[in-house]
Amino acid sequence: MTTSSKKILVTSALPYANGPIHLGHMLEVIQTDTWVRFQKLVGHDARYVCADDAHGTPIMLKARSDGIEPVQLIEEMLSAHQRDFAGFDIQFDFYHTTHSEENRYFSEPFTAVSMKPATLPEESSGKPMIQTPRCSCQTGSSAASVPAAAARISMVTAVNHAVRPTPPVT
């Protein structure tokens, strides 16, 4: 057991909601699930969150070719993906879509933080090593896609800044 419990937020690549889970998705999810279970086993508060990526042109094109609305395709793929993951006993703490109310609830605090300037640790000279400028996301397609892009950026930012590898227990 570890001497102190850590809070660990973990995610894996988001499967796109325009088709079934493939071997690459499953391989990564099984490896991530195994790592998260180990972290919980040794006493850490690890949370495994993921979602179907429900934004983008491929979803609209697939829905159009199937003769259905994009939201119907997203719902069908979410059910299929969850069924596939359950078949391998994958234990997500949260699994939704990138446009779900649950995702909005959990991602908005990260978005708020990621939109502020951030300074990383200083060199011995006292100068910042790297400074991250204020984010100005522009996608060119529509105003509605800006929050989606910001949510994806915020999740990556949150994971990159909040999750630190835990050294192996010896």
Side-chain angles (χ1 to χ4, degrees), residues 8 28 46 78 86 89 92 95 107 121 170:
I8 306 170
E28 179 184 9
L78 177 63
D89 197 28
F92 294 104
Y95 193 95
S107 65
T170 55

Side-chain angles (χ1 to χ4, degrees), residues 46 80 96 121 137 150:
H96 300 286
C137 307

Side-chain angles (χ1 to χ4, degrees), residues 35-159:
W35 188 83
V36 170
R37 288 180 194 216
F38 171 76
Q39 296 305 320
K40 290 177 178 182
L41 189 68
V42 297
H44 296 301
D45 182 12
R47 303 284 183 208
Y48 187 11
V49 300
C50 200
D52 277 3
D53 188 343
H55 302 283
T57 303
I59 292 169
M60 293 186 303
L61 294 175
K62 174 70 172 154
R64 184 180 297 158
S65 76
D66 290 354
I68 60 176
E69 290 296 316
V71 82
Q72 183 181 349
L73 175 64
I74 292 164
E75 289 169 0
E76 290 173 5
M77 286 296 102
L78 177 63
S79 293
H81 292 175
Q82 288 176 325
R83 183 186 63 243
D84 292 343
F85 292 137
F88 281 81
D89 197 28
I90 304 301
Q91 297 177 4
F92 294 104
D93 291 292
F94 301 99
Y95 193 95
H96 300 286
T97 66
T98 53
H99 73 281
S100 69
E101 285 305 311
E102 294 87 355
N103 183 66
R104 179 185 311 275
Y105 174 83
F106 286 112
S107 65
E108 282 180 347
F110 292 119
T111 303
V113 169
S114 70
M115 295 301 181
K116 294 179 183 176
T119 304
L120 296 178
E122 296 180 355
E123 295 177 342
S124 58
S125 67
K127 295 180 183 176
M129 292 174 15
I130 299 172
Q131 186 166 13
T132 306
R134 187 167 186 78
C135 177
S136 58
C137 307
Q138 295 185 11
T139 62
S141 59
S142 73
S145 63
V146 173
R152 285 194 291 273
I153 291 167
S154 68
M155 289 305 293
V156 170
T157 303
V159 170

